[in-house]
Amino acid sequence: MIGLALSYDVVSIQPTAIALRGHLLAETDMAQAVIWCIVLIVLLVAGFFVVSVIRKSMRNEEDLGPPGGFSLSALRKLRDSGEISKEQYEKALHGVVASSHAAIDEKLTPPTK
């Protein structure tokens, strides 16, 4: 009879232990899923900011100078160093201003179909 009671206790403990282990595994799996979701969200946000910074830097590189190739400060330096005359500076200045106005007008006009 003692042997029978002993085996009954072992049988009743094992399903409880298995059920507890299954519950702990379920909590562990849920915790891991939440952690990986947080990691994924952080990676997505970081990727968004990286792409935004790259796009902004590329846009700034395109807008650094006027389409004519010279900026006003570069023309002033050429004039001040004596590499170009005052007349050449005035002519280039008008060209830079005209090309800048044309570029601005091009960006502001809506595309036609």
Side-chain angles (χ1 to χ4, degrees):
M1 188 109 163
I2 293 177
L4 184 61
L6 185 60
S7 66
Y8 181 76
D9 287 340
V10 171
V11 170
S12 67
I13 291 174
Q14 286 178 348
T16 307
I18 291 171
L20 285 177
R21 272 193 239 137
H23 183 65
L24 291 175
L25 286 176
E27 285 180 3
T28 304
D29 291 341
M30 182 61 102
Q32 285 181 348
V34 169
I35 289 172
W36 281 111
C37 285
I38 291 171
V39 168
L40 181 62
I41 290 170
V42 168
L43 288 174
L44 286 172
V45 170
F48 172 77
F49 282 116
V50 167
V51 169
S52 296
V53 167
I54 290 172
R55 288 184 69 194
K56 188 174 182 180
S57 69
M58 290 176 68
R59 191 176 312 132
N60 287 342
E61 287 176 5
E62 292 173 359
D63 295 338
L64 281 180
F70 286 103
S71 64
L72 295 177
S73 62
L75 286 174
R76 283 188 205 110
K77 286 179 185 176
L78 289 172
R79 181 195 62 193
D80 293 342
S81 67
E83 293 182 39
I84 61 172
S85 67
K86 187 174 181 178
E87 292 80 22
Q88 290 172 327
Y89 171 76
E90 292 293 328
K91 185 177 180 182
L93 178 67
H94 291 297
V96 168
V97 171
S99 63
S100 295
H101 283 292
I104 290 171
D105 289 340
E106 181 180 313
K107 287 184 179 180
L108 293 178
T109 54
T112 57
K113 292 183 180 182

